[in-house]
Amino acid sequence: MTLTEQQIKIMQEDMSAQLVELLMDKWDYSMEEALSVWYNSDTFARLSDTRTGLYYQSAGYVYSFLENELRTGVCA
């Protein structure tokens, strides 16, 4: 099954919302802080690149990349 660009966009937006919530819960960020961290991360850039296929993964899986990036400064 091939997804449309709109379907991929929806999946990416849903993933972003879940990851911002995780940042707020686990790092005690305000919504503004969490949004800033997320949208300025390399992990977000990777999610935005449809060639990576990250939008197909679970939020927990993608969060592991983001968490590693925040702890080490490197997106693995």
Side-chain angles (χ1 to χ4, degrees), residues 11-75:
M11 292 172 76
Q12 290 168 324
E13 289 172 356
D14 183 57
M15 176 78 68
S16 290
Q18 291 177 56
L19 291 167
V20 167
E21 284 185 42
L22 284 168
L23 286 171
M24 290 168 48
D25 290 343
K26 295 182 183 268
W27 290 77
D28 201 30
Y29 287 141
S30 68
M31 182 177 290
E32 293 80 16
E33 291 169 325
L35 287 166
S36 178
V37 167
W38 171 239
Y39 286 119
N40 289 297
S41 70
D42 287 335
T43 307
F44 173 73
R46 289 180 182 199
L47 176 68
S48 299
D49 182 353
T50 58
R51 295 173 297 172
T52 67
L54 278 180
Y55 59 90
Y56 273 119
Q57 303 302 320
S58 71
Y61 179 77
V62 177
Y63 177 76
S64 69
F65 287 96
L66 179 59
E67 184 176 44
N68 184 63
E69 180 180 352
L70 293 175
R71 293 191 190 283
T72 67
V74 177
C75 184

